[in-house]
Amino acid sequence: MAVTNSLSTTTTTLSLRSTSSSPASSPIKHFLLFPLRQHPLSFRSSHVRPIAAVAAPEKIEKLGAEISSLTLEEARTLVDYLQDKLGVSAAAFAPAAAVGVAPGAAADAGAAVVEEKTEFDVVIEEVPSNARIAVIKAVRALTSLALKEAKDLIEGLPKKFKEGVSKDEAEDAKTQLEAAGAKCSVV
């Protein structure tokens, strides 16, 4: 089998000869042409949209060029000016976790409005060794845990069994676990 390169950049030619015939007695040759793949160095570079492809009006381009040339102090002044002019604040666009509340304000709000607790946690405090199997069965009945996860749950106590459930569901889980032999509490 001989490989020749007829067109160095586009195709590779492969000549095939029968193994039973000698090269001198076989004047007929069959050729297969294979196109060469030329992989780009980086696929990312061929898929990134160039900046010039973004269509923007001339007014926006000029404004963007002017804003990008501002110093940090000038940019801060611009933000303050726009907040005053438009009546908005940057905090309105920030995530809720970034907005902080003063500790004193939180205490005043908690004292003014006393709300009834609606979410409860069931905590398994202790499981006697003679009731382990029954408690594991109760845990599996109350949750969708597999055997290993239920066994791991009752080791290294106290642990939260259910979190953020209604009072009725928490009391029901507590009674079932106590019937199996565990010591539980609703927090």
Side-chain angles (χ1 to χ4, degrees):
M1 208 181 339
V3 178
T4 59
N5 197 352
S6 62
L7 297 172
S8 64
T9 60
T10 57
T11 59
T12 302
T13 306
L14 177 65
S15 64
L16 302 174
R17 292 191 191 125
S18 172
T19 56
S20 62
S21 62
S22 66
S25 66
S26 176
I28 301 175
K29 294 182 180 177
H30 301 282
F31 296 98
L32 296 174
L33 298 176
F34 296 101
L36 290 177
R37 285 188 173 172
Q38 294 179 352
H39 295 290
L41 293 176
S42 170
F43 288 108
R44 178 170 168 71
S45 64
S46 64
H47 297 297
V48 173
R49 185 173 70 186
I51 295 174
V54 178
E58 183 179 336
K59 179 179 178 182
I60 301 297
E61 287 180 5
K62 285 173 54 179
L63 185 60
E66 288 179 25
I67 290 174
S68 64
S69 67
L70 294 176
T71 63
L72 289 177
E73 183 61 35
E74 293 170 334
R76 180 68 195 149
T77 306
L78 175 65
V79 168
D80 292 339
Y81 171 76
L82 289 175
Q83 286 178 352
D84 292 339
K85 173 119 176 130
L86 300 175
V88 297
S89 70
F93 300 105
V99 178
V101 177
D108 293 340
V113 178
V114 178
E115 293 184 17
E116 186 176 331
K117 190 173 179 182
T118 58
E119 293 184 350
F120 297 90
D121 299 335
V122 179
V123 178
I124 302 175
E125 295 173 354
E126 185 181 340
V127 176
S129 60
N130 61 349
R132 286 175 53 97
I133 295 173
V135 172
I136 290 172
K137 287 181 181 180
V139 166
R140 291 191 67 200
L142 291 168
T143 63
S144 61
L145 294 177
L147 180 63
K148 183 178 184 328
E149 287 82 16
K151 183 179 175 187
D152 291 342
L153 180 73
I154 66 165
E155 292 176 356
L157 298 174
K159 284 188 183 174
K160 286 186 180 179
F161 170 64
K162 287 196 169 206
E163 296 182 54
V165 296
S166 67
K167 184 172 184 169
D168 295 333
E169 188 177 349
E171 289 296 330
D172 182 47
K174 180 182 174 188
T175 56
Q176 288 185 27
L177 288 169
E178 285 179 343
K183 292 182 183 174
C184 304
S185 64
V186 176
V187 181

